[in-house]
Amino acid sequence: MYDSHVQLGGRIVPFAGWEMPVQYTGIVDEHQAVRAAAGLFDASHMGELSLTGEYARQVIDYVVTGDASKLTDGQALYTCALNEDGKILDDLIIYRAAEERWLVVCNASNREKMVAVFSKAAANHCEFSDKSDETALIALQGPKAFAILAQMGRDAAGLAELKSFHFRDAVVGNVRATVARTGYTGEDGVEIFCAWSDAKALWDQLIEVGRPLGLKPAGLGARDTLRLEARLSLYGNEIDETTNPFEAGLSWIVKMDKDTFVGKPALEAIRAPGARPAERKLIGFEVTGRGVARHGYPLKNLEGQVVGVCTSGSPGPTVGKTIGLGYLPTQLSEVGSRFLVDCRGKDVEAVVVKTPFYRRPKG
Amino acid sequence: MSKAAPAGLSYTKDHEWARTDGGDGGSVTIGVTAFAVEQLGDITLVNFDVKVGDAVEAGKTFGTIESVKTLSDLFAPISGTVTKVNDALHDKPELVNDDCYGAGWMVTIAKAAGSTTSELLDEAAYEAHVKASS
C-alpha cells in the first residue's frame, strides 16, 4: 500500500518500525472528513496474534483482564493484559471466531512483548502464531462507512447488519476479508483484516468508490486527534507499564470476578479494604488559557507545584477547543477543578471537564 | 509542493523570511515561509513573547507557533526593537496558513545598529536549503 499512500500525497514517517503516512491533505481536513463522511486508515502496523485449540480460550482468559468466556462466535472485546504488578502491558481487542479459534490484536509497539507473553502462556496448551506480517488492517471510519461498503459487492453491503464489536468473514470488492465493527475514532465504521497481498487492491478500490461520498485517506495525525476527542487511550501515552487500569479509567474492562488472570492479586491489593485510596486519576481537560498541552508537559496546582502530567493534548478540531488527557491527584480530579499546564515554562490555565470530549450523534 | 520563495526577501535556515521595508531600510518585517507552513500543517496558535518596544536579539526566540501536531519556536533573524506585532494572528492564526508572506506576517523590527540581513539567505540559497532538508 506504500505506493498508494505516496501517490495520494501522504507524508510518510517511521512509526514503531513501520513507514506510516502521518497525513495526506492535512490533519484537520482528514479529521473533519471522518466526522462528516468517512476516512480510510492503513492500520497494518497493528499486531495480529492467532490462538487456536481446545484451551485457547483459557489461555487468553489467563492473560487478559476481560472475560473471554462470555463471548460468542463472531464477537470481539476491548481488554488489556497486565504484568504481575497489575500494570498495563498492552491494550488489546480479542476476537472469538469459533470456540477454538481466536484472534488477538495488539499495538505495533508492543508486538514483540505480546508475542512473548502469549506464546509463553500458550506453551503446551494451545497453538500460537504471529500473523502480523501476513495480515493487513484497513480501517474505514465515519458516518458514510456503510454507504461505501454497500458499493463493494453484495456480501459487503450486508455488513451494515453487523452489531458493534462483532465481526465476520466477508468479500469486500473482490477481496476475502474479516470485517469487524470496531474503530479508534469515535465514529461508526469497520476495521477490515485481509491478506497483505490483497491490501493494495482493497485500499485503492475503497478510495475510488468512497471518494464521491466524501471519503478521504487519513493518517496517524488525524487518528490521534480523533481518538483523543473520543477519549480513547493510546498506549505509551495514557497507559503503559507504570499505570494500572483503575487509575487509567479502565476498570470497566477488568473483570475482578474472574477466577484468575495475570495481575489480579496486585489489583486486589489496590482494592482491598483499608488500602490507600487511589493517588491519581486520568482526567480530561480543556485548556482555557492560550497554549496547547502536549504529551509530557507537567500539570501544576494553582499554587504552582507540579502535581501531575499531561499524557496527550492537541486542539480538538470537532470540539473546537484545545483539549487533553492527563494524570492529576484524585483530590484535583473533579470536573470543574482548575489547574495549570506548564507549557515549556509558561503556566497556562486549564480545567477538568467531562469526557468523552466528543460523542457521535445518535441515528 | 511548497510555493517558491518570493524574490527580494531574505531567509533563515529556520524557515523564516525577512523583508526590508522601503526607505532607509531600518525596518524589517518577519514571517514564516511556505515550507514551514507546509511542515507545520494547520496552525492553531501564534504566541508572541514580545510586545511593541521590546528588544529582540538575533537567533533568540520571540514567540511560538503551534499547529495541531507540534509547537515550534519563532527566532528573530536580526537584533532590534519590535515596532509592530501582527495582533490579527491572536484570533486568526489561520492567516499564516492562508497567506504566510502577506497577512500572516509576525512582527516588524527596527534594526539595531550593526545588525544586518546580509548574512541571511537569498531565495536561491534558501530553496537549496529546503531541498537539502526535505
Side-chain angles (χ1 to χ4, degrees):
Chain A
M1 275 179 284
Y2 184 86
D3 293 344
S4 297
H5 297 323
V6 172
Q7 205 187 337
L8 289 164
R11 189 187 300 159
I12 309 293
V13 295
F15 177 81
W18 293 76
E19 297 284 315
M20 297 286 295
V22 64
Q23 66 168 56
Y24 302 85
T25 55
I27 294 171
V28 173
D29 186 55
E30 294 162 26
H31 178 113
Q32 309 287 25
V34 173
R35 295 271 185 253
L40 198 65
F41 302 81
D42 179 359
S44 299
H45 58 299
M46 303 293 283
E48 292 87 9
L49 315 178
S50 154
L51 290 96
T52 54
E54 196 182 341
Y55 296 104
R57 198 273 296 164
Q58 282 86 341
V59 168
I60 289 171
D61 253 336
Y62 171 71
V63 175
V64 308
T65 58
D67 193 346
S69 73
K70 294 270 167 49
L71 297 188
T72 55
D73 292 355
Q75 196 179 4
L77 179 72
Y78 176 65
T79 187
C80 66
L82 307 178
N83 64 19
E84 298 287 349
D85 299 329
K87 303 295 169 66
I88 302 172
L89 288 174
D90 200 7
D91 61 337
L92 309 159
I93 297 185
I94 59 172
Y95 301 77
R96 172 174 153 156
E99 198 179 348
E100 299 187 5
R101 201 151 52 83
W102 295 73
L103 176 73
V104 175
V105 173
C106 68
N107 283 296
S109 52
N110 291 329
R111 177 177 157 198
E112 280 181 32
K113 180 167 76 180
M114 296 317 295
V115 164
V117 166
F118 277 104
S119 60
K120 188 170 168 221
N124 303 319
H125 299 298
C126 73
E127 294 299 314
F128 169 83
S129 67
D130 178 3
K131 304 279 190 197
S132 308
D133 288 338
E134 58 204 77
T135 311
L137 178 54
I138 294 173
L140 172 62
Q141 300 278 298
K144 292 281 166 65
F146 291 94
I148 292 164
L149 286 173
Q151 298 181 38
M152 295 292 285
R154 185 185 299 180
D155 196 20
L159 287 167
E161 306 298 316
L162 208 56
K163 285 189 275 185
S164 177
F165 274 87
H166 283 69
F167 67 101
R168 70 168 169 87
D169 290 343
V171 177
V172 184
N174 50 9
V175 170
R176 291 187 173 280
T178 300
V179 182
R181 195 160 190 165
T182 52
Y184 192 51
T185 59
E187 292 303 323
D188 198 0
V190 294
E191 294 182 293
I192 308 170
F193 300 90
C194 69
W196 190 257
S197 50
D198 290 333
K200 181 172 161 43
L202 179 59
W203 173 277
D204 291 347
Q205 207 180 342
L206 283 166
I207 289 284
E208 193 187 319
V209 165
R211 191 151 264 170
L213 292 170
L215 174 79
K216 290 189 176 175
L220 286 174
R223 190 174 158 86
D224 197 43
T225 53
L226 289 157
R227 70 93 195 165
L228 176 61
E229 285 188 339
R231 198 210 202 261
L232 298 167
S233 289
L234 173 63
Y235 196 89
N237 285 33
E238 283 69 43
I239 50 177
D240 58 26
E241 288 183 43
T242 70
T243 55
N244 73 54
F246 298 151
E247 61 193 8
L250 292 174
S251 47
W252 62 280
I253 65 169
V254 180
K255 294 297 168 215
M256 293 299 284
D257 51 358
K258 223 169 62 164
D259 274 352
T260 179
F261 59 85
V262 178
K264 188 185 174 192
L267 295 187
E268 280 171 339
I270 294 173
R271 283 273 169 99
R276 278 186 307 164
E279 282 169 16
R280 61 175 195 165
K281 252 178 90 172
L282 185 68
I283 52 91
F285 62 86
E286 250 173 56
V287 178
T288 50
R290 282 179 64 81
V292 181
R294 308 275 183 190
H295 174 67
Y297 283 9
L299 305 183
K300 296 173 168 178
N301 61 20
L302 294 178
E303 287 72 52
Q305 295 157 313
V306 174
V307 291
V309 64
C310 171
T311 55
S312 294
S314 90
T318 305
V319 299
K321 288 167 178 160
T322 298
I323 55 176
L325 296 171
Y327 283 98
L328 275 181
T330 307
Q331 69 271 18
L332 265 177
S333 66
E334 293 294 318
V335 168
S337 174
R338 299 192 170 273
F339 63 96
L340 304 168
V341 183
D342 180 349
C343 297
R344 302 198 321 164
K346 195 153 75 183
D347 288 342
V348 176
E349 287 179 16
V351 60
V352 179
V353 297
K354 261 169 68 173
T355 53
F357 304 99
Y358 167 82
R359 208 185 285 275
R360 75 169 180 265
K362 294 263 182 257
Chain B
M1 296 295 275
S2 61
K3 284 175 288 179
L9 304 184
S10 303
Y11 297 90
T12 72
K13 288 190 172 177
D14 300 314
H15 307 288
E16 287 165 33
W17 55 263
R19 186 182 64 224
T20 303
D21 301 322
D24 57 0
S27 180
V28 177
T29 297
I30 314 294
V32 297
T33 67
F35 178 77
V37 170
E38 189 186 297
Q39 292 299 308
L40 286 165
D42 305 290
I43 290 161
T44 56
L45 202 64
V46 178
N47 270 331
F48 298 119
D49 302 332
V50 294
K51 54 187 189 309
V52 171
D54 285 354
V56 292
E57 197 180 326
K60 296 283 168 62
T61 65
F62 66 91
T64 52
I65 182 164
E66 300 223 23
S67 65
V68 173
K69 271 280 78 78
T70 52
L71 172 150
S72 50
D73 285 309
L74 294 165
F75 296 99
I78 53 158
S79 300
T81 306
V82 177
T83 54
K84 280 185 226 162
V85 166
N86 187 357
D87 292 323
L89 300 181
H90 189 278
D91 296 320
K92 289 191 161 185
E94 64 272 18
L95 288 175
V96 183
N97 285 105
D98 297 344
D99 188 11
C100 66
Y101 296 111
W105 65 279
M106 302 278 154
V107 295
T108 298
I109 296 170
K111 271 192 295 191
S115 189
T116 164
T117 57
S118 65
E119 285 162 22
L120 302 179
L121 309 173
D122 63 14
E123 67 272 10
Y126 176 67
E127 290 287 349
H129 170 64
V130 166
K131 275 211 180 71
S133 55
S134 60

mmCIF file of all heavy atoms in Angstrom, chain A residues 272-298:
data_model
loop_
_atom_site.group_PDB
_atom_site.id
_atom_site.type_symbol
_atom_site.label_atom_id
_atom_site.label_comp_id
_atom_site.label_asym_id
_atom_site.label_seq_id
_atom_site.Cartn_x
_atom_site.Cartn_y
_atom_site.Cartn_z
ATOM 1 N N ALA A 272 -8.272 -3.576 48.197
ATOM 2 C CA ALA A 272 -8.566 -4.182 49.497
ATOM 3 C C ALA A 272 -9.082 -3.129 50.479
ATOM 4 O O ALA A 272 -8.681 -1.975 50.416
ATOM 5 C CB ALA A 272 -7.305 -4.844 50.051
ATOM 6 N N PRO A 273 -9.991 -3.546 51.408
ATOM 7 C CA PRO A 273 -10.463 -2.602 52.416
ATOM 8 C C PRO A 273 -9.262 -2.099 53.217
ATOM 9 O O PRO A 273 -8.385 -2.884 53.581
ATOM 10 C CB PRO A 273 -11.387 -3.453 53.308
ATOM 11 C CG PRO A 273 -11.629 -4.725 52.562
ATOM 12 C CD PRO A 273 -10.504 -4.900 51.594
ATOM 13 N N GLY A 274 -9.197 -0.813 53.439
ATOM 14 C CA GLY A 274 -8.098 -0.255 54.207
ATOM 15 C C GLY A 274 -6.892 0.112 53.364
ATOM 16 O O GLY A 274 -5.953 0.725 53.861
ATOM 17 N N ALA A 275 -6.933 -0.262 52.070
ATOM 18 C CA ALA A 275 -5.817 0.128 51.203
ATOM 19 C C ALA A 275 -5.866 1.635 50.981
ATOM 20 O O ALA A 275 -6.920 2.256 51.087
ATOM 21 C CB ALA A 275 -5.899 -0.609 49.870
ATOM 22 N N ARG A 276 -4.731 2.195 50.674
ATOM 23 C CA ARG A 276 -4.685 3.636 50.398
ATOM 24 C C ARG A 276 -5.563 3.961 49.201
ATOM 25 O O ARG A 276 -5.570 3.232 48.216
ATOM 26 C CB ARG A 276 -3.247 4.064 50.092
ATOM 27 C CG ARG A 276 -2.415 4.302 51.334
ATOM 28 C CD ARG A 276 -1.071 4.861 50.942
ATOM 29 N NE ARG A 276 -0.418 4.021 49.952
ATOM 30 C CZ ARG A 276 0.611 4.408 49.221
ATOM 31 N NH1 ARG A 276 1.079 5.633 49.345
ATOM 32 N NH2 ARG A 276 1.180 3.589 48.345
ATOM 33 N N PRO A 277 -6.317 5.046 49.267
ATOM 34 C CA PRO A 277 -7.132 5.404 48.105
ATOM 35 C C PRO A 277 -6.231 5.744 46.915
ATOM 36 O O PRO A 277 -5.065 6.079 47.093
ATOM 37 C CB PRO A 277 -7.907 6.631 48.575
ATOM 38 C CG PRO A 277 -7.198 7.140 49.779
ATOM 39 C CD PRO A 277 -6.430 6.004 50.365
ATOM 40 N N ALA A 278 -6.808 5.637 45.722
ATOM 41 C CA ALA A 278 -6.026 5.909 44.510
ATOM 42 C C ALA A 278 -5.410 7.302 44.593
ATOM 43 O O ALA A 278 -6.072 8.274 44.945
ATOM 44 C CB ALA A 278 -6.916 5.797 43.282
ATOM 45 N N GLU A 279 -4.138 7.377 44.275
ATOM 46 C CA GLU A 279 -3.447 8.655 44.391
ATOM 47 C C GLU A 279 -3.732 9.571 43.210
ATOM 48 O O GLU A 279 -3.732 10.780 43.323
ATOM 49 C CB GLU A 279 -1.943 8.416 44.478
ATOM 50 C CG GLU A 279 -1.526 7.958 45.864
ATOM 51 C CD GLU A 279 -0.098 7.469 45.903
ATOM 52 O OE1 GLU A 279 0.660 7.757 44.956
ATOM 53 O OE2 GLU A 279 0.240 6.798 46.889
ATOM 54 N N ARG A 280 -3.940 8.970 42.061
ATOM 55 C CA ARG A 280 -4.101 9.812 40.875
ATOM 56 C C ARG A 280 -5.131 9.199 39.942
ATOM 57 O O ARG A 280 -5.464 8.018 40.036
ATOM 58 C CB ARG A 280 -2.763 9.952 40.153
ATOM 59 C CG ARG A 280 -2.206 8.617 39.682
ATOM 60 C CD ARG A 280 -0.944 8.798 38.872
ATOM 61 N NE ARG A 280 -0.634 7.561 38.149
ATOM 62 C CZ ARG A 280 0.225 7.474 37.147
ATOM 63 N NH1 ARG A 280 0.880 8.536 36.749
ATOM 64 N NH2 ARG A 280 0.439 6.331 36.542
ATOM 65 N N LYS A 281 -5.627 10.036 39.057
ATOM 66 C CA LYS A 281 -6.660 9.616 38.115
ATOM 67 C C LYS A 281 -6.399 10.252 36.769
ATOM 68 O O LYS A 281 -5.938 11.395 36.698
ATOM 69 C CB LYS A 281 -8.036 10.111 38.607
ATOM 70 C CG LYS A 281 -8.943 9.021 39.150
ATOM 71 C CD LYS A 281 -10.237 9.609 39.635
ATOM 72 C CE LYS A 281 -11.286 9.660 38.532
ATOM 73 N NZ LYS A 281 -12.611 10.061 39.058
ATOM 74 N N LEU A 282 -6.729 9.510 35.730
ATOM 75 C CA LEU A 282 -6.651 10.083 34.388
ATOM 76 C C LEU A 282 -7.888 10.955 34.165
ATOM 77 O O LEU A 282 -9.011 10.499 34.341
ATOM 78 C CB LEU A 282 -6.606 8.974 33.331
ATOM 79 C CG LEU A 282 -6.406 9.451 31.891
ATOM 80 C CD1 LEU A 282 -5.016 10.036 31.689
ATOM 81 C CD2 LEU A 282 -6.647 8.315 30.902
ATOM 82 N N ILE A 283 -7.660 12.210 33.810
ATOM 83 C CA ILE A 283 -8.778 13.139 33.626
ATOM 84 C C ILE A 283 -8.692 13.768 32.233
ATOM 85 O O ILE A 283 -7.639 13.798 31.609
ATOM 86 C CB ILE A 283 -8.779 14.255 34.703
ATOM 87 C CG1 ILE A 283 -7.408 14.943 34.790
ATOM 88 C CG2 ILE A 283 -9.158 13.688 36.059
ATOM 89 C CD1 ILE A 283 -7.210 16.127 33.932
ATOM 90 N N GLY A 284 -9.829 14.276 31.787
ATOM 91 C CA GLY A 284 -9.857 15.055 30.557
ATOM 92 C C GLY A 284 -9.908 16.523 30.918
ATOM 93 O O GLY A 284 -10.512 16.894 31.932
ATOM 94 N N PHE A 285 -9.263 17.346 30.147
ATOM 95 C CA PHE A 285 -9.286 18.776 30.456
ATOM 96 C C PHE A 285 -9.356 19.628 29.201
ATOM 97 O O PHE A 285 -9.075 19.171 28.096
ATOM 98 C CB PHE A 285 -8.070 19.170 31.313
ATOM 99 C CG PHE A 285 -6.735 18.943 30.638
ATOM 100 C CD1 PHE A 285 -6.189 19.910 29.797
ATOM 101 C CD2 PHE A 285 -6.008 17.767 30.847
ATOM 102 C CE1 PHE A 285 -4.955 19.705 29.182
ATOM 103 C CE2 PHE A 285 -4.775 17.553 30.236
ATOM 104 C CZ PHE A 285 -4.249 18.528 29.398
ATOM 105 N N GLU A 286 -9.778 20.862 29.442
ATOM 106 C CA GLU A 286 -9.779 21.879 28.395
ATOM 107 C C GLU A 286 -8.754 22.921 28.791
ATOM 108 O O GLU A 286 -8.708 23.332 29.965
ATOM 109 C CB GLU A 286 -11.141 22.581 28.411
ATOM 110 C CG GLU A 286 -12.024 22.296 27.236
ATOM 111 C CD GLU A 286 -13.384 22.920 27.472
ATOM 112 O OE1 GLU A 286 -13.470 24.147 27.716
ATOM 113 O OE2 GLU A 286 -14.352 22.135 27.463
ATOM 114 N N VAL A 287 -7.963 23.363 27.844
ATOM 115 C CA VAL A 287 -7.045 24.462 28.118
ATOM 116 C C VAL A 287 -7.827 25.751 27.916
ATOM 117 O O VAL A 287 -8.352 25.996 26.826
ATOM 118 C CB VAL A 287 -5.822 24.412 27.190
ATOM 119 C CG1 VAL A 287 -4.904 25.588 27.441
ATOM 120 C CG2 VAL A 287 -5.076 23.095 27.374
ATOM 121 N N THR A 288 -7.958 26.554 28.966
ATOM 122 C CA THR A 288 -8.729 27.797 28.860
ATOM 123 C C THR A 288 -7.815 28.982 28.552
ATOM 124 O O THR A 288 -8.275 30.003 28.065
ATOM 125 C CB THR A 288 -9.529 28.049 30.149
ATOM 126 O OG1 THR A 288 -8.634 27.924 31.263
ATOM 127 C CG2 THR A 288 -10.640 27.034 30.301
ATOM 128 N N GLY A 289 -6.533 28.848 28.849
ATOM 129 C CA GLY A 289 -5.570 29.898 28.504
ATOM 130 C C GLY A 289 -5.057 29.701 27.093
ATOM 131 O O GLY A 289 -5.552 28.859 26.343
ATOM 132 N N ARG A 290 -4.048 30.497 26.724
ATOM 133 C CA ARG A 290 -3.503 30.392 25.367
ATOM 134 C C ARG A 290 -2.306 29.462 25.353
ATOM 135 O O ARG A 290 -1.209 29.849 25.749
ATOM 136 C CB ARG A 290 -3.081 31.767 24.855
ATOM 137 C CG ARG A 290 -4.247 32.602 24.385
ATOM 138 C CD ARG A 290 -3.772 33.955 23.906
ATOM 139 N NE ARG A 290 -2.914 33.882 22.736
ATOM 140 C CZ ARG A 290 -3.364 33.742 21.488
ATOM 141 N NH1 ARG A 290 -4.654 33.626 21.268
ATOM 142 N NH2 ARG A 290 -2.526 33.699 20.475
ATOM 143 N N GLY A 291 -2.530 28.259 24.896
ATOM 144 C CA GLY A 291 -1.448 27.296 24.818
ATOM 145 C C GLY A 291 -2.000 25.950 24.446
ATOM 146 O O GLY A 291 -3.224 25.760 24.428
ATOM 147 N N VAL A 292 -1.125 25.045 24.113
ATOM 148 C CA VAL A 292 -1.533 23.678 23.818
ATOM 149 C C VAL A 292 -0.754 22.773 24.746
ATOM 150 O O VAL A 292 0.473 22.850 24.805
ATOM 151 C CB VAL A 292 -1.241 23.302 22.350
ATOM 152 C CG1 VAL A 292 -1.692 21.878 22.057
ATOM 153 C CG2 VAL A 292 -1.924 24.282 21.397
ATOM 154 N N ALA A 293 -1.477 21.949 25.513
ATOM 155 C CA ALA A 293 -0.811 20.984 26.377
ATOM 156 C C ALA A 293 -0.344 19.832 25.502
ATOM 157 O O ALA A 293 -1.093 19.348 24.669
ATOM 158 C CB ALA A 293 -1.784 20.488 27.436
ATOM 159 N N ARG A 294 0.889 19.406 25.681
ATOM 160 C CA ARG A 294 1.416 18.294 24.878
ATOM 161 C C ARG A 294 1.853 17.163 25.806
ATOM 162 O O ARG A 294 2.088 17.381 26.988
ATOM 163 C CB ARG A 294 2.623 18.754 24.055
ATOM 164 C CG ARG A 294 2.406 19.994 23.210
ATOM 165 C CD ARG A 294 1.782 19.650 21.878
ATOM 166 N NE ARG A 294 1.627 20.834 21.032
ATOM 167 C CZ ARG A 294 0.939 20.855 19.908
ATOM 168 N NH1 ARG A 294 0.324 19.756 19.485
ATOM 169 N NH2 ARG A 294 0.830 21.949 19.186
ATOM 170 N N HIS A 295 2.005 15.987 25.204
ATOM 171 C CA HIS A 295 2.450 14.804 25.936
ATOM 172 C C HIS A 295 3.713 15.110 26.742
ATOM 173 O O HIS A 295 4.690 15.600 26.185
ATOM 174 C CB HIS A 295 2.727 13.692 24.917
ATOM 175 C CG HIS A 295 3.318 12.452 25.502
ATOM 176 N ND1 HIS A 295 2.618 11.637 26.361
ATOM 177 C CD2 HIS A 295 4.533 11.898 25.370
ATOM 178 C CE1 HIS A 295 3.381 10.623 26.721
ATOM 179 N NE2 HIS A 295 4.550 10.755 26.134
ATOM 180 N N GLY A 296 3.643 14.854 28.054
ATOM 181 C CA GLY A 296 4.820 15.036 28.890
ATOM 182 C C GLY A 296 4.903 16.370 29.610
ATOM 183 O O GLY A 296 5.725 16.531 30.513
ATOM 184 N N TYR A 297 4.044 17.334 29.257
ATOM 185 C CA TYR A 297 4.078 18.627 29.965
ATOM 186 C C TYR A 297 3.616 18.436 31.406
ATOM 187 O O TYR A 297 2.626 17.744 31.662
ATOM 188 C CB TYR A 297 3.151 19.637 29.281
ATOM 189 C CG TYR A 297 3.661 20.257 28.004
ATOM 190 C CD1 TYR A 297 4.812 19.795 27.370
ATOM 191 C CD2 TYR A 297 2.981 21.317 27.411
ATOM 192 C CE1 TYR A 297 5.256 20.370 26.192
ATOM 193 C CE2 TYR A 297 3.420 21.901 26.225
ATOM 194 C CZ TYR A 297 4.561 21.414 25.614
ATOM 195 O OH TYR A 297 4.995 21.982 24.450
ATOM 196 N N PRO A 298 4.294 19.064 32.362
ATOM 197 C CA PRO A 298 3.860 18.951 33.763
ATOM 198 C C PRO A 298 2.530 19.679 34.004
ATOM 199 O O PRO A 298 2.256 20.697 33.378
ATOM 200 C CB PRO A 298 4.987 19.655 34.541
ATOM 201 C CG PRO A 298 6.136 19.751 33.591
ATOM 202 C CD PRO A 298 5.542 19.829 32.219
#
